[in-house]
Amino acid sequence: MNRQFPHAMLPRPGHDEQARQDFVHDYKVHVLSGLGPRQRQVFDQHATPAFEKTHGHAPRSRREINTAMTPQPTWKMWSALNRTGQELMWAAISDTAFRDRERLVDQARRIRRRDEGRGSLRIDPALAVPRYISAVDIHLQPGGYGLVLDEDDVYAGALYDLSAHHYSLGGLNPMGSDPGDSTVLFLRENYPQFRPRRILDIGCTVGASTLPLADAFPDAEVIGIDVAETFVRYADARSKSLGRAVHFAHMNAERTDFPGGHFDLVVSHLFFHETSAKAVRNVMKEARRLLAPGGLMLHSDVPEANQFHPEPFDQWWRDWTTHYNAEPFRATLRDTSLVQAAVNSGFESSQVYETKIPSAAAAATYKKTHGYGAEWHMVVAAHGGQSGSAI
Ligand SMILES: C[S@@+](CC[C@H](N)C(=O)[O-])C[C@H]1O[C@@H](n2cnc3c(N)ncnc32)[C@H](O)[C@@H]1O
């Protein structure tokens, strides 16, 4: 397993904590890549014949497959093992992050004082966390994204940073920046002349995907926003500690306070699947408002849209995380067209498309264990003329 880059804000595991985290990694690999693919045999050899007996036909949709698979003991066992792996992961990394939290709060304060003026941090004490975030511990993160323990808290940010590495089994690369790196690669290949002056990263979390944009466009002003307070506070300290000058703001992407036409590039990574149908509409509309003529909007997410996976079994397989891993909107998003949502928000339909883009990391582990390859689903919309090759 590749190790996470030990930047100054990362919680530091002790020896036994590291051993436990390594165990969880191996456990997850075994359950996902060792036992996971065998569920196809359970479907073909047991679930399908049983379903045919009662329904007179083989399961045809992901919902019928769910009906057929739910009673299967091997599937139940696998599902329990997979859920347990996720809970073990959180237990292991939250022990480390919680034990280390006071040192990290001090560290963030020190970094902010030392590097004042390199980037900025804006916290809005009045900002309400939307219900699709506050009501759910997304993919079982204890306390959820909105957790704030104390003044200047960074705990949930530190926990997320650790989890992104462990949840992806190291597949996002040591900086967790693969979504952002892949977006930069996509821009280089398809819009080589594009030089944005202001960039907005929506749902930036700890800034892992924001920093590659700052590196790729060193003359641009880069702003990351997130609705979770400790995430942007942590992102600011993390970014400063890594020598970057990025601005972070605690803000709801459905209603920002930036003026219209402020950005040439608006992006998000792994964002929409953790929101809601209403938020998709609002954020698309807001992104369209914020985009300057000639600008680009790029949304990259998990590559699991139905059009990429026409096989009902594949679609059903991807529903696991909605049923058992507290990602309620993820399966619904698969039935939602983000292209249509972009058009509805005011983009010309000839200026919007979606595609799969390759992952910048040679994420072999990710590909093997998650089974859907090292790639991302990208929705692209241009505001007016764009000189890139893709539109
Ligand atoms: C899976 S994380 C994104 C990961 C990150 N973009 C990366 O590439 O590392 C989704 C993020 O979106 C944030 N978020 C959800 N709804 C939001 C909203 N309406 N406005 C701003 N941020 C939001 C969440 O708090 C969370 O940090």
Side-chain angles (χ1 to χ4, degrees):
M1 173 191 186
N2 47 19
R3 293 270 181 228
Q4 194 165 9
F5 181 78
H7 58 76
M9 285 305 299
L10 198 67
R12 292 187 194 144
H15 171 276
D16 293 357
E17 290 170 351
Q18 187 62 62
R20 188 175 171 206
Q21 289 171 21
D22 290 351
F23 164 77
V24 173
H25 172 268
D26 290 352
Y27 173 102
K28 275 177 153 285
V29 169
H30 178 62
V31 171
L32 282 164
S33 59
L35 306 179
R38 297 193 199 171
Q39 302 313 308
R40 180 71 213 208
Q41 287 166 25
V42 174
F43 176 63
D44 291 336
Q45 293 169 14
H46 302 283
T48 298
F51 187 92
E52 270 171 344
K53 242 187 220 161
T54 47
H55 294 78
H57 62 82
R60 289 185 283 233
S61 64
R62 68 201 231 222
R63 285 173 186 85
E64 286 187 349
I65 293 172
N66 201 44
T67 305
M69 284 296 275
T70 299
Q72 293 298 321
T74 311
W75 163 251
K76 282 189 199 173
M77 176 64 79
W78 183 86
S79 192
L81 289 171
N82 204 27
R83 165 87 188 200
T84 302
Q86 189 73 347
E87 291 183 359
L88 286 174
M89 177 193 83
W90 288 114
I93 62 176
S94 61
D95 273 6
T96 302
F98 196 74
R99 177 190 49 69
D100 216 9
R101 73 190 189 289
E102 285 170 13
R103 183 186 70 80
L104 290 171
V105 168
D106 285 346
Q107 178 84 319
R109 287 182 180 138
R110 231 189 342 266
I111 290 171
R112 251 197 322 278
R113 273 196 305 273
R114 187 193 67 194
D115 295 344
E116 205 186 342
R118 177 187 285 158
S120 63
L121 173 66
R122 250 206 298 163
I123 301 286
D124 176 1
L127 187 72
V129 178
R131 220 182 110 65
Y132 50 85
I133 299 291
S134 65
V136 190
D137 287 355
I138 292 183
H139 42 63
L140 310 186
Q141 173 156 337
Y145 288 175
L147 180 70
V148 184
L149 292 176
D150 220 333
E151 201 187 347
D152 286 352
D153 186 31
V154 292
Y155 169 68
L159 189 55
Y160 183 96
D161 198 1
L162 277 180
S163 78
H165 184 76
H166 287 273
Y167 189 18
S168 69
L169 301 171
L172 297 178
N173 85 28
M175 295 301 294
S177 61
D178 187 61
D181 292 336
S182 307
T183 293
V184 167
L185 194 66
F186 172 80
L187 281 169
R188 288 225 166 97
E189 285 177 357
N190 295 280
Y191 301 89
Q193 310 300 332
F194 186 54
R195 296 278 180 280
R197 288 155 307 166
R198 287 203 201 100
I199 301 173
L200 178 67
D201 184 16
I202 290 172
C204 63
T205 319
V206 300
S209 295
T210 324
L211 301 195
L213 295 160
D215 292 346
F217 302 105
D219 297 330
E221 183 184 22
V222 180
I223 302 177
I225 62 169
D226 203 287
V227 82
E229 174 185 330
T230 75
F231 285 3
V232 285
R233 190 177 289 118
Y234 180 89
D236 172 63
R238 179 184 183 276
S239 164
K240 284 182 163 80
S241 79
L242 290 163
R244 309 310 206 285
V246 173
H247 305 277
F248 290 97
H250 176 216
M251 210 181 272
N252 188 335
E254 296 183 59
R255 281 174 310 278
T256 72
D257 62 10
F258 301 110
H262 196 63
F263 295 98
D264 309 298
L265 178 61
V266 174
V267 302
S268 75
H269 302 97
L270 292 168
F271 170 74
F272 277 122
H273 77 269
E274 293 184 357
T275 62
S276 71
K278 191 165 160 217
V280 170
R281 289 195 296 275
N282 290 343
V283 172
M284 283 285 187
K285 235 168 104 189
E286 181 65 355
R288 174 65 180 73
R289 183 185 75 78
L290 293 174
L291 212 55
L296 275 179
M297 175 178 85
L298 306 178
H299 297 293
S300 140
D301 210 325
V302 275
E304 54 182 30
N306 286 342
Q307 63 271 34
F308 301 138
H309 302 283
E311 261 259 327
F313 184 87
D314 287 347
Q315 294 177 2
W316 166 79
W317 182 252
R318 285 168 175 76
D319 285 348
W320 185 88
T321 189
T322 287
H323 293 309
Y324 304 113
N325 196 36
E327 298 194 70
F329 187 56
R330 195 158 160 173
T332 310
L333 185 66
R334 215 159 319 124
D335 295 323
T336 307
S337 166
L338 289 178
V339 167
Q340 192 55 49
V343 171
N344 293 345
S345 71
F347 289 94
E348 295 284 334
S349 55
S350 61
Q351 302 283 292
V352 186
Y353 67 96
E354 62 190 333
T355 183
K356 275 202 273 189
I357 65 163
S359 155
T365 314
Y366 195 67
K367 181 168 188 165
K368 207 168 80 198
T369 53
H370 286 64
Y372 48 60
E375 57 198 7
W376 302 107
H377 174 197
M378 177 74 92
V379 176
V380 185
H383 180 5
Q386 250 306 321
S387 52
S389 61
I391 288 186

